[in-house]
Amino acid sequence: MSKMEDASATATATAAPKAQQLETYRAYIVTWNVGSRFPDNISLRQLLGLHDDASGKADDEDLPDIYAIGLQEVNAQPQHQVIGLFKEDPWTHKAKQLLRGYNYVAVKTEQMQGLLLTMFVRRQHVEHLKDMEAEFTRTGFGGIWGNKGAVSIRFTLYGCGLSFVVAHLAAHDHQLDERIEDYKQILENHHYHVKRYREIYDHDYVFWFGDLNFRLNGSDTATEVRDALRDEQQHDALIQRDQLYDVREKSQMAFQVLHERLPAFPPTFKFKEGTSDYDLKRRPAWTDRIMYAVQPSNRQPGMQLAIEQCSYKSHPAYNISDHKPVTSDFTLKLYPNYRAPGVTFTPLSVWLIGDENTVEYRKQIEFDEGPNDWIAIYGIEYASLAHYVAYEYVNQAESPTSSDSNQERDYFDTPAPHHRSERHHHRNRQRLRRQQVANEELVRLDFADDVELRHGEQYVLIYFRSTGLRGVTSVSGISAPFVAEKRSGSPHRTEYHVD
């Protein structure tokens, strides 16, 4: 396991070549135990830090590059889990509908019962996402039940590996040992399938957050803690008794490689639902936390990575559960000019609806094509990588497999084959053609004639490299926009809405 070094390291990129310069990006982390409630009749704007200026629009320069929204106790009753197989989780949907107006794309979601993690990035970063992978670890009831544990999403962005872990650990004051054991189980069982980034702490940046359920040491009553909180001078004395601070900084029995600005906000648990009054059935505690770590020299020894926790606060106006949400805004250094090998699409001026259409792209020799690569069609304003209109596998182009329109799948990286009649393709015609051109390979792939696009609307193609290992997927190329048109005199086709 790699040892994280101090997070206050500063960048020293002045002597580095231009191609390896460091630049600053922003990540915004949210954790909230929503107590099985749905996001009805609430706005997420304040929670996501979307403060508009006088014109009614947020300043682009103030918007994060990455959002990580981690929720606990999402309603996970069987009927809702069944619905979730076919429809987006209400919390993810609500965040997506808000963030799409600011040009964000939901790139990955992972859920384990009540634990939910959704990642959003600004649209200009999508084509630089590599090796996206989700993982989960159950710790409830000896590791057989997912009511406690962790889910994570990792990816590489601009040459740096990032891991986002949201956890829900054992509850109650006296269960400190169980919380420490939960942490150790997560580390032991969480394994990725990406070279160089097999474990959580192998990453350049790690964000670990959630309802970690750490309470206060001591025997004072809930009333005594509440009364002490009314005296600001006693806040520091209380936080020194915080169990997470104790195990991280003093005993170093858990989370010792992570950093955290100690909370300056009141305890976020436990409240009477619908109010900001503490429920004295439990002692108030800072159960909801956000931590981070960086390996400054993990990639370029002469160019140290760095991270800063710029804000760390709770949001007391949200009162639908017995927890208050917590957010933290970070700045971090990445390599903006880092470019991984990929594909370049030949511009496609028009897509003829009802015809077979040929997609052409150039593949760099050093690009390692995966066995399950696929190309998907998205509406120009797509808000989620899970919402493609149609797709074709690259290396399965000889078989009649593709998708119906407007599919939504949890694991968008491996679409389920949809068998259809061979009448959609000419018999005995090769649908995938390869040609060597200088130091590149020119590839032409035919899409079937039953891809239903809307006349006059714009779309893009996205090439996904998929290794087939636990859904590890990279975005390896995005085409320029093209328009879909009906051939003159073609019969009417049903139109529908796409993202």
Side-chain angles (χ1 to χ4, degrees):
M1 181 185 300
S2 302
K3 177 69 176 177
M4 292 286 182
E5 300 193 12
D6 192 275
S8 63
T10 58
T12 56
T14 53
K18 182 178 180 181
Q20 291 296 309
Q21 290 296 310
L22 286 164
E23 284 190 11
T24 301
Y25 296 80
R26 287 182 55 199
Y28 190 95
I29 313 296
V30 178
T31 180
W32 190 9
N33 184 321
V34 297
S36 298
R37 299 296 187 264
F38 293 102
D40 302 329
N41 304 316
I42 66 170
S43 169
L44 299 182
R45 295 185 61 81
Q46 185 207 42
L47 182 65
L48 298 180
L50 297 172
H51 306 297
D52 292 343
D53 59 20
S55 67
K57 288 289 186 181
D59 187 342
D60 275 4
E61 293 185 0
D62 291 334
L63 292 174
D65 298 282
I66 302 167
Y67 274 104
I69 302 176
L71 305 178
Q72 307 86 47
E73 293 193 19
V74 171
N75 195 312
Q77 295 179 9
Q79 63 268 31
H80 295 295
Q81 289 184 302
V82 172
I83 292 173
L85 295 174
F86 307 100
K87 190 176 180 181
E88 211 164 39
D89 171 84
W91 286 97
T92 299
H93 181 74
K94 181 128 186 171
K96 185 191 73 176
Q97 292 303 102
L98 173 59
L99 290 174
R100 71 182 303 163
Y102 295 89
N103 223 16
Y104 286 91
V105 176
V107 297
K108 192 78 171 173
T109 297
E110 179 74 354
Q111 183 169 7
M112 181 184 72
Q113 287 186 226
L115 266 176
L116 177 68
L117 175 60
T118 304
M119 300 297 309
F120 295 85
V121 304
R122 299 191 74 181
R123 190 177 304 275
Q124 65 263 36
H125 304 312
V126 171
E127 64 181 313
H128 303 286
L129 288 167
K130 311 300 177 188
D131 296 327
M132 292 178 282
E133 182 179 3
E135 187 55 272
F136 65 90
T137 297
R138 301 183 180 95
T139 61
F141 295 99
I144 62 173
W145 189 243
N147 64 320
K148 294 294 191 292
V151 300
S152 72
I153 293 173
R154 64 87 48 216
F155 52 77
T156 301
L157 180 65
Y158 296 115
C160 293
L162 296 89
S163 179
F164 299 82
V165 184
V166 58
H168 194 186
L169 307 185
H172 305 302
D173 285 33
H174 65 283
Q175 297 278 48
L176 175 59
D177 289 344
E178 284 73 10
R179 286 187 277 280
I180 295 172
E181 183 60 29
D182 285 351
Y183 168 77
K184 293 178 179 178
Q185 282 188 39
I186 293 165
L187 285 184
E188 183 178 346
N189 294 291
H190 237 69
H191 305 293
Y192 303 107
H193 299 81
V194 179
K195 189 177 181 181
R196 288 190 67 233
Y197 301 113
R198 302 291 189 183
E199 315 295 334
I200 291 173
Y201 290 134
D202 287 341
H203 289 75
D204 300 288
Y205 295 100
V206 174
F207 300 90
W208 195 312
F209 48 106
D211 179 2
L212 305 183
N213 257 321
F214 286 97
R215 310 304 173 90
L216 291 176
N217 291 322
S219 58
D220 39 3
T221 67
T223 300
E224 289 170 337
V225 173
R226 180 199 62 186
D227 293 344
L229 288 167
R230 293 172 176 169
D231 182 356
E232 290 186 8
Q233 293 183 348
Q234 295 194 47
H235 180 277
D236 288 344
L238 284 172
I239 200 67
Q240 291 293 321
R241 292 165 47 200
D242 171 67
Q243 290 179 346
L244 178 56
Y245 175 71
D246 184 76
V247 301
R248 185 177 60 79
E249 289 284 347
K250 298 177 181 177
S251 69
Q252 296 194 347
M253 296 180 68
F255 299 102
Q256 64 270 28
V257 298
L258 293 164
H259 303 270
E260 179 195 30
R261 177 200 290 185
L262 288 179
F265 46 85
T268 53
F269 174 83
K270 171 178 172 73
F271 290 88
K272 297 176 182 177
E273 293 179 13
T275 76
S276 290
D277 299 325
Y278 286 109
D279 183 344
L280 300 182
K281 293 178 182 178
R282 296 284 186 273
R283 293 194 301 167
W286 287 275
T287 58
D288 309 281
R289 308 291 275 272
I290 300 172
M291 294 174 288
Y292 64 95
V294 61
Q295 297 196 67
S297 302
N298 200 27
R299 185 170 186 87
Q300 298 290 336
M303 301 176 59
Q304 289 191 323
L305 301 177
I307 187 170
E308 180 182 356
Q309 190 172 21
C310 302
S311 70
Y312 194 24
K313 58 188 177 182
S314 66
H315 297 261
Y318 291 92
N319 57 21
I320 63 172
S321 79
D322 56 357
H323 289 253
K324 300 299 182 184
V326 173
T327 63
S328 191
D329 189 16
F330 295 88
T331 59
L332 59 154
K333 299 292 186 179
L334 302 174
Y335 303 101
N337 296 320
Y338 178 87
R339 294 294 181 269
V343 306
T344 302
F345 286 99
T346 301
L348 182 66
S349 58
V350 65
W351 186 283
L352 291 176
I353 300 172
D355 284 7
E356 289 188 359
N357 288 267
T358 300
V359 169
E360 182 180 274
Y361 61 90
R362 292 178 179 268
K363 179 170 73 71
Q364 300 171 23
I365 295 298
E366 60 268 32
F367 176 67
D368 186 14
E369 189 177 81
N372 302 290
D373 290 8
W374 57 291
I375 297 174
I377 304 174
Y378 290 83
I380 186 71
E381 295 182 350
Y382 65 97
S384 170
L385 289 183
H387 299 172
Y388 48 80
V389 181
Y391 67 88
E392 290 283 359
Y393 281 108
V394 173
N395 289 313
Q396 299 178 23
E398 292 300 315
S399 62
T401 60
S402 187
S403 71
D404 283 332
S405 301
N406 204 26
Q407 292 286 330
E408 293 185 13
R409 293 179 55 80
D410 290 336
Y411 295 96
F412 66 87
D413 41 274
T414 51
H418 172 72
H419 296 279
R420 54 180 169 185
S421 170
E422 290 186 7
R423 68 180 174 81
H424 296 294
H425 288 290
H426 297 296
R427 291 181 182 273
N428 302 321
R429 200 185 89 177
Q430 189 176 7
R431 293 173 48 214
L432 182 72
R433 285 90 68 199
R434 299 178 183 271
Q435 178 184 353
Q436 199 69 29
V437 179
N439 293 323
E440 296 180 315
E441 186 178 52
L442 182 65
V443 183
R444 295 182 179 89
L445 173 65
D446 295 333
F447 270 68
D449 57 10
D450 62 348
V451 173
E452 295 191 16
L453 305 186
R454 296 184 64 179
H455 175 73
E457 299 247 340
Q458 287 189 307
Y459 299 86
V460 294
L461 301 165
I462 300 183
Y463 186 110
F464 290 99
R465 182 185 180 276
S466 180
T467 65
L469 295 174
R470 189 60 175 84
V472 179
T473 304
S474 299
V475 176
S476 296
I478 301 180
S479 75
F482 58 89
V483 67
E485 292 183 359
K486 296 176 183 176
R487 186 179 292 279
S488 179
S490 64
H492 173 75
R493 299 180 69 89
T494 302
E495 296 186 353
Y496 54 89
H497 173 75
V498 295
D499 285 318

